[in-house]
Amino acid sequence: MTALIDVLQAQIEQLDTQGLRRRRRTAEAACAPHTVVDGRRVLSFNSNDYLGLAADPRVTAALQEGARLYGAGSGASHLVSGHSKAHEELEERLADFLAPHLLQPRALYLSTGYMANLAVLTALAAATPGEAEIFSDALNHASIIDGTRLARAKVTVYAHNDVPALEAALAVSSAKTKIVVTDSVFSMDGDIAPLPQILALCERHGAWLLVDDAHGFGVLGEHGRGALEYFSLTSPQLVYMGTLGKAAGVSGAFVAAHATVIDWLVQRARPYIYTTAAAPALAHALLTSVALIDSREGQQRRAQLELLQHQLSGMPLHAGWKRLASATPIQPLVIGGNAEVLAAAQALLEQGLWVSAIRAPTVPAGTARLRITLSATHTHDDVARLLDALHTLAKES
Ligand SMILES: *Cc1c(COP(=O)(O)O)cnc(C)c1O
């Protein structure tokens, strides 16, 4: 081995001893509660496919139709020749869907939510070079953190959901462009940001509010319009980011905002401009996903999720465990140590239950947790099986 490889190997071994080494498991069937992983049939509480659309036959049929109509790939970036009719139709549909919450809305489809966060943060900050400040919640998603780093702006991190701290930071800022950015539903805790209070602050201080609704779009609100519908928010200062690989079951993300904001992103957002457009077939399939989210059936699926959440709230607790209060399908069980959480996940897997163990740096050290996520395609029996297994685990540990 060369010296360079030795350095990496030593680092990996260190992660191993700390219980922090990450390993992938290989799923051998479609994303669904009952699936096959590493050759074993399991009941999964792992995915962000909250409405069960990832393997829905209507969505997969639309994907096939999209491939027939538009081929497998887009062939180029959006500003060259890769922008297809399917992308355009999806953007129009999404802008209409979010219209009750935005002024002169338009939408932009991007390849991933990760890139969407980079795109918005870098492009908005670039409007006033050297004179932008980003205010970011301490528990924001890694893609937001990376976006703030790439934006070449001053970055102020405020304590999690701490509205007075955010207000104090906004009050002393003299930046020309102020951008407040927050997850709506925090991905590892499942709690919801106090968006009405945060938006009121943004309006008072002339700041943009970027809402990352990765876990809210499709799930929150009567029609599944997400966090903005959940709180009945409307503002020209809102920039909304929704992802399309979670509740929508496919892939990609979108930004919805005032038409001028979207036009600016097309001019300046490098993560949008300098990459090959996502396959048009994905956008075509997403038209079906959005129609399902916006349907009576979508409402029924959201109602089922709420029933399952309620059922899970009877989760048995070992003295050292902590169930985080969550009104979303993300239901974390904080166990604490890395070794303990790995042992718990392994014990569940031996009973055919697949729940992921989340450790630092994804969550703060000492708060390693089982991140249980529910899908509308889980049944009451599925959740009962999980509760039984947790009960046994709590008694034994
Ligand atoms: C998943 C996620 C993203 C990234 O979206 P992708 O489409 O998976 O790249 C961004 N923000 C939050 C809060 C997320 O949970």
Side-chain angles (χ1 to χ4, degrees):
M1 267 199 278
T2 70
L4 290 173
I5 288 176
D6 287 343
V7 172
L8 302 185
Q9 195 56 46
Q11 293 283 341
I12 291 169
E13 276 158 25
Q14 203 181 337
L15 289 174
D16 217 5
T17 31
Q18 295 168 332
L20 289 176
R21 182 163 179 186
R22 295 168 182 250
R23 295 174 198 275
R24 301 169 303 171
R25 296 193 186 277
T26 306
E28 292 161 24
C31 174
H34 293 272
T35 187
V36 181
V37 59
D38 293 337
R40 188 199 304 247
R41 292 184 53 82
V42 293
L43 172 56
S44 164
F45 289 92
N46 258 332
S47 86
N48 303 312
D49 179 26
Y50 301 120
L51 298 181
L53 297 182
D56 187 283
R58 291 160 293 184
V59 178
T60 55
L63 184 61
Q64 287 170 329
E65 183 182 67
R68 208 161 53 238
L69 289 168
Y70 301 103
S74 70
S77 65
H78 283 278
L79 296 183
V80 176
S81 63
H83 188 65
S84 88
K85 184 161 164 264
H87 297 126
E88 192 64 25
E89 284 172 351
L90 177 63
E91 290 176 349
E92 281 169 19
R93 180 72 174 90
L94 290 167
D96 281 350
F97 192 44
L98 270 296
H101 305 288
L102 302 164
L103 208 73
Q104 292 186 44
R106 258 181 68 191
L108 189 72
Y109 175 57
L110 292 98
S111 304
T112 69
Y114 186 103
M115 290 167 81
N117 278 333
L118 300 190
V120 175
L121 291 166
T122 56
L124 286 182
T128 57
E131 295 181 285
E133 182 169 355
I134 300 172
F135 304 84
S136 178
D137 186 285
L139 292 190
N140 274 342
H141 189 261
S143 58
I144 294 176
I145 297 171
D146 291 358
T148 65
R149 290 175 179 161
L150 207 57
R152 296 196 254 191
K154 180 174 177 195
V155 180
T156 300
V157 175
Y158 60 91
H160 178 52
N161 283 343
D162 189 339
V163 175
L166 173 60
E167 175 155 41
L170 281 166
V172 299
S173 171
S174 56
K176 272 206 182 131
T177 300
K178 302 185 183 81
I179 307 161
V180 175
V181 56
T182 184
D183 284 18
S184 54
V185 176
F186 286 85
S187 51
M188 297 301 140
D189 293 58
D191 59 336
I192 303 178
L195 292 177
Q197 291 87 330
I198 294 176
L199 180 59
L201 282 184
C202 289
E203 296 200 318
R204 200 156 348 117
H205 293 275
W208 295 106
L209 175 56
L210 170 57
V211 175
D212 175 340
D213 204 25
H215 299 277
F217 182 73
V219 174
L220 296 177
E222 189 189 346
H223 302 91
R225 294 191 181 108
L228 303 187
E229 184 181 17
Y230 181 81
F231 286 119
S232 303
L233 302 180
T234 312
S235 169
Q237 288 169 221
L238 272 170
V239 180
Y240 179 86
M241 197 288 281
T243 64
L244 299 168
K246 291 174 179 159
V250 185
S251 175
F254 69 101
V255 179
H258 189 282
T260 304
V261 175
I262 299 303
D263 201 10
W264 177 247
L265 295 182
V266 173
Q267 311 311 313
R268 279 289 182 276
R270 297 164 67 90
Y272 178 72
I273 299 168
Y274 298 104
T275 190
T276 300
L282 297 173
H284 188 75
L286 280 162
L287 286 167
T288 298
S289 294
V290 175
L292 288 168
I293 287 171
D294 192 18
S295 69
R296 177 99 193 91
E297 185 184 332
Q299 284 180 6
Q300 286 160 352
R301 291 190 180 214
R302 286 185 285 278
Q304 167 73 357
L305 264 179
E306 277 190 39
L307 288 175
L308 296 173
Q309 277 159 222
H310 185 72
Q311 187 186 357
L312 196 62
S313 66
M315 195 165 3
L317 279 191
H318 172 268
W321 297 357
K322 187 172 163 226
R323 199 176 82 89
L324 299 184
S326 160
T328 69
I330 301 171
Q331 298 283 328
L333 189 58
V334 176
I335 298 211
N338 296 331
E340 289 79 5
V341 80
L342 287 176
Q346 187 56 37
L348 291 174
L349 192 62
E350 275 154 25
Q351 297 181 57
L353 293 158
W354 189 18
V355 181
S356 60
I358 308 282
R359 292 154 284 161
T362 309
V363 293
T367 69
R369 65 198 66 182
L370 293 173
R371 179 176 180 269
I372 299 163
T373 53
L374 295 168
S375 166
T377 42
H378 281 122
T379 63
H380 284 279
D381 285 350
D382 290 339
V383 173
R385 227 182 107 190
L386 176 65
L387 284 169
D388 272 351
L390 287 170
H391 195 62
T392 309
L393 204 59
K395 272 197 303 203
E396 287 170 359
S397 56

